[in-house]
Amino acid sequence: MPVAETRQRTHPQLLVRRISIRLRGGRAADWWIGALFLGLAWWLYKDLWADLDRAYLVNGGQDQNMWEWFFDATADAVRNFRDPLVSDLQNHPLGVNMMANTAMLGLGIPLTPVTLLFGPTTTWALVLTGGLAGSAFAWYRLLARRLVRGTPAAAMGGALCGFAPPIVSHANAHPNFVVLFVIPPIIEMLIRLWQNERPIRNGVVLGLLIAFQIFIGEEPLLFAAVGLVVFGTVYALNSPDAARAAARPLGTGLLIGAAVSLTLVAYPLWVQFFGPQHYSTLDHESGNDLAAFTAYASDSLGGNRAGAAALSEGTTEENAFFGWPLVILTLLLVAWLRRLAVARAAAITAAVAALLSLGLNVVVDHDDTGLPGPWRLLNELPLFESILESRFALVCVPAVAVLLALATDRVLDSARSVAKGRVVLVRLIWVEVLTLVLLPIAPTPLDVQDRRPVPEFFADGGWRPYVDDGSVVVVPLPSVGDAAALHWQSVADLGFPLAEGYFVGPWGPDRIGVYGADYSPTSALLGRVASKGTVPEITEEQRREARADLARWRADVVVLPEHRHGAELAATLTALLGPGRQVADVQVWDVRHLDGPAAR
């Protein structure tokens, strides 16, 4: 495998000596490198950590509210010995299929004590910060063990894997694409199986790791699987003898790993695909603009938000922004390292991932060329039809990191063989090259803003006299556009369920996955008033629909917090339900009298 290839010309006794030195000094280096990665991750989130009560990652839309709710609902389920795979705390009473959403139960469950003691925002910040640092460190350890001899080369590769612009882009809102520290150990187990190292034991460990990753993030696991299939195929074709020797132990380990992982995740996956509130597919196609690969991301030293926004679907989906210096250097490294099978495999993996990420049609600087993209080959396949193809560019990150680590290791190693006076010069030149290439894509601290204040009605328990066992209807109803009510519910210690919300659930007879609830006539009506600020003429039919929706939501109370169109919303609700009353800083409509026990 790669480690053997890069060391095949080293004298065995010298290799043993180097390994022993590395083992003695490696632990101290690991501590320093781990601390460096943790410090860098904290620096990116320093403004979030500075005020966990009010700070909100502004470029993530409503995702922070959603993720904090996932962590809070998971902790609440554990505390009350309920099934964490589903929850009816939003979209009441239908609920939310947590397995069909990115709830990250693999972290939410073990971090339950943190959530209960310090709140879901602390868990959110901890997962993001630890995810960036832990992923960078895991890649560093894999590179150091299996690919390169030099610690600097492995550290640089790990840093790129953990803090590359596409990863930092997702760090605004998507912890499932930040917490990737399980992927390198999975690769480590595959390498051990390739080398015929205890196939049964390592197969079991592989299965456990895959199961854990499923509970952290299934989409990154799918991307990793595709990347590894491409990498492994190319590497095997370049090393046919080794591939034949590895076929039996690798096959054995994979079968054992599949059996172990399926045993652990069979029921959760059944809930995800067939359980309550499951959906058939999530339709959102979005390929990368080819010009994005040479552009700079929003949250990088060389980038600007306006330029990046023109080439992406948003700040959290800048999946292909590597910058033109890194693209050029990568192409040069491919030419230089082409004799190494691992370099060829990494290069082809990056190329395939980049091509797949272009989507159904190739677009260059906003111009649809009309050329079909390779994604057409996968678009209709199960699982693939529900993912954003632009995210396949994330597979390029570790592939490029492998090439940079290999090159750095070779440069540092070759410097030892030149004249003594030129060692420093060779290293300085390479450091300057890396600085020119990597400094423009270095990450910058992520933007935060103050949260919308929590209404006193929720913060001080004013809701309690108005809630029996039904739901609270916050107007306008929480959705992908405004999910602040999920945070208010958490502040109220999840004391009541919410009508509708922000999650992924089924819509229509075909159960197409959509973000948010299947809108009712009343929520759509109130949404239009909140958006346009005009009071419609309310008909008797709309009043009947409102009462039917309240019965369907099993609502106890309708709550109108402060809103820029609050007067218009209040007038609409009064026309629908009759007069409300002011309670603390909200207007309230007690609707428990509108539907009887039979309706509930």
Side-chain angles (χ1 to χ4, degrees):
M1 205 61 178
V3 67
E5 179 186 357
T6 57
R7 294 178 177 175
Q8 62 186 356
R9 298 182 181 178
T10 305
H11 192 276
Q13 292 181 348
L14 180 59
L15 176 59
V16 171
R17 182 184 176 191
R18 286 180 177 175
I19 293 176
S20 64
I21 293 174
R22 183 173 184 69
L23 291 174
R24 289 197 301 269
R27 182 167 298 179
D30 288 352
W31 280 104
W32 283 108
I33 291 169
L36 177 66
F37 291 157
L38 184 60
L40 179 55
W42 173 86
W43 182 69
L44 294 183
Y45 290 112
K46 62 183 179 65
D47 294 328
L48 176 63
W49 282 105
D51 191 352
L52 291 174
D53 290 332
R54 293 186 298 176
Y56 190 90
L57 290 170
V58 62
N59 293 315
Q62 296 300 308
D63 283 10
Q64 181 171 337
N65 287 320
M66 180 188 68
W67 283 98
E68 289 178 359
W69 184 90
F70 284 149
F71 292 133
D72 207 12
T74 298
D76 184 72
V78 173
R79 175 176 58 184
N80 292 291
F81 300 99
R82 293 199 302 267
D83 184 0
L85 302 180
V86 294
S87 175
D88 65 353
L89 286 172
Q90 61 169 312
N91 196 38
H92 190 77
L94 295 176
V96 176
N97 188 320
M98 300 286 271
M99 274 301 297
N101 282 262
T102 50
M104 297 185 76
L105 298 175
L107 293 181
I109 291 176
L111 288 175
T112 289
V114 175
T115 305
L116 296 179
L117 289 173
F118 304 105
T121 306
T122 300
T123 304
W124 160 257
L126 186 64
V127 167
L128 288 171
T129 307
L132 282 177
S135 299
F137 187 79
W139 284 108
Y140 152 72
R141 288 293 293 161
L142 178 66
L143 293 172
R145 287 174 174 175
R146 295 293 179 176
L147 188 70
V148 297
R149 288 189 294 267
T151 297
M156 185 214 55
L160 183 61
C161 288
F163 299 96
I167 303 297
V168 174
S169 168
H170 286 280
N172 283 285
H174 304 148
N176 54 325
F177 285 101
V178 169
V179 181
L180 302 173
F181 53 71
V182 180
I183 302 298
I186 288 175
I187 298 174
E188 169 74 19
M189 289 302 108
L190 291 173
I191 293 175
R192 291 186 180 186
L193 291 173
W194 175 276
Q195 296 178 340
N196 198 14
E197 294 182 17
R198 305 181 70 173
I200 296 177
R201 188 201 68 171
N202 289 326
V204 171
V205 175
L206 176 64
L208 294 174
L209 290 170
I210 291 174
F212 186 32
Q213 180 60 44
I214 287 173
F215 288 113
I216 295 177
E218 297 175 50
E219 196 171 349
L221 180 62
L222 178 60
F223 293 150
V226 173
L228 287 169
V229 167
V230 175
F231 183 97
T233 300
V234 175
Y235 192 89
L237 291 175
N238 283 275
S239 307
D241 293 338
R244 281 191 291 270
R248 185 181 182 86
L250 182 61
T252 300
L254 288 174
L255 288 174
I256 293 174
V260 170
S261 62
L262 285 175
T263 300
L264 295 174
V265 303
Y267 175 69
L269 289 181
W270 182 90
V271 172
Q272 175 178 343
F273 293 107
F274 304 103
Q277 289 299 99
H278 74 276
Y279 51 89
S280 59
T281 182
L282 187 59
D283 187 16
H284 48 12
E285 296 174 356
S286 175
N288 286 318
D289 190 315
L290 189 61
F293 284 90
T294 56
Y296 292 121
S298 299
D299 295 310
S300 62
L301 286 177
N304 66 81
R305 204 162 299 283
L311 293 170
S312 70
E313 294 295 316
T315 306
T316 61
E317 295 294 343
E318 295 175 3
N319 297 304
F321 288 68
F322 291 91
W324 62 266
L326 181 55
V327 171
I328 292 175
L329 179 61
T330 300
L331 295 175
L332 294 175
L333 294 182
V334 170
W336 178 35
L337 302 172
R338 65 186 183 279
R339 295 184 181 278
L340 292 176
V342 65
R344 290 196 296 272
I348 293 176
T349 301
V352 170
L355 289 172
L356 289 174
S357 78
L358 298 180
L360 297 177
N361 296 300
V362 178
V363 176
V364 181
D365 198 16
H366 311 290
D367 181 25
D368 189 339
T369 64
L371 296 174
W375 181 249
R376 291 174 182 265
L377 301 174
L378 303 178
N379 187 49
E380 301 297 329
L381 296 179
L383 301 181
F384 290 91
E385 88 283 2
S386 296
I387 65 176
L388 276 173
E389 59 268 34
S390 65
R391 292 176 177 174
F392 254 105
L394 293 169
V395 176
C396 299
V397 173
V400 171
V402 164
L403 293 171
L404 283 179
L406 283 171
T408 300
D409 203 45
R410 281 203 155 194
V411 168
L412 296 180
D413 191 53
S414 62
R416 302 185 186 99
S417 62
V418 302
K420 186 175 182 180
R422 296 182 180 179
V423 172
V424 175
L425 178 61
V426 172
R427 292 178 176 177
L428 282 177
I429 292 174
W430 184 245
V431 169
E432 289 178 0
V433 170
L434 291 179
T435 301
L436 290 172
V437 169
L438 298 179
L439 187 61
I441 64 171
T444 57
L446 304 182
D447 296 335
V448 303
Q449 67 179 14
D450 285 346
R451 287 186 114 119
R452 180 179 172 185
V454 179
E456 295 177 7
F457 179 79
F458 295 113
D460 297 338
W463 56 271
R464 295 184 186 278
Y466 297 92
V467 178
D468 294 333
D469 59 353
S471 68
V472 173
V473 181
V474 177
V475 177
L477 280 83
S479 65
V480 64
D482 183 1
L486 299 183
H487 175 60
W488 304 342
Q489 184 191 33
S490 289
V491 171
D493 198 26
L494 300 179
F496 52 83
L498 286 170
E500 300 198 356
Y502 179 24
F503 57 96
V504 182
W507 175 82
D510 294 330
R511 306 188 69 86
I512 302 299
V514 295
Y515 291 95
D518 188 350
Y519 289 140
S520 67
T522 304
S523 62
L525 170 65
L526 295 172
R528 289 193 297 271
V529 176
S531 175
K532 298 178 180 179
T534 57
V535 181
E537 182 177 347
I538 300 301
T539 66
E540 193 59 38
E541 175 65 20
Q542 288 173 317
R543 292 189 182 95
R544 286 194 295 269
E545 288 176 341
R547 284 164 171 73
D549 288 337
L550 291 171
R552 184 166 59 86
W553 294 325
R554 300 183 182 177
D556 280 348
V557 63
V558 176
V559 179
L560 174 61
E562 291 184 5
H563 192 278
R564 63 191 179 99
H565 295 311
E568 292 82 359
L569 286 167
T572 304
L573 287 169
T574 299
L576 287 170
L577 307 174
R581 60 177 298 188
Q582 187 76 28
V583 178
D585 53 352
V586 303
Q587 295 183 66
V588 169
W589 283 259
D590 188 338
V591 296
R592 286 173 288 187
H593 66 284
L594 294 181
D595 57 344
R600 292 178 180 275

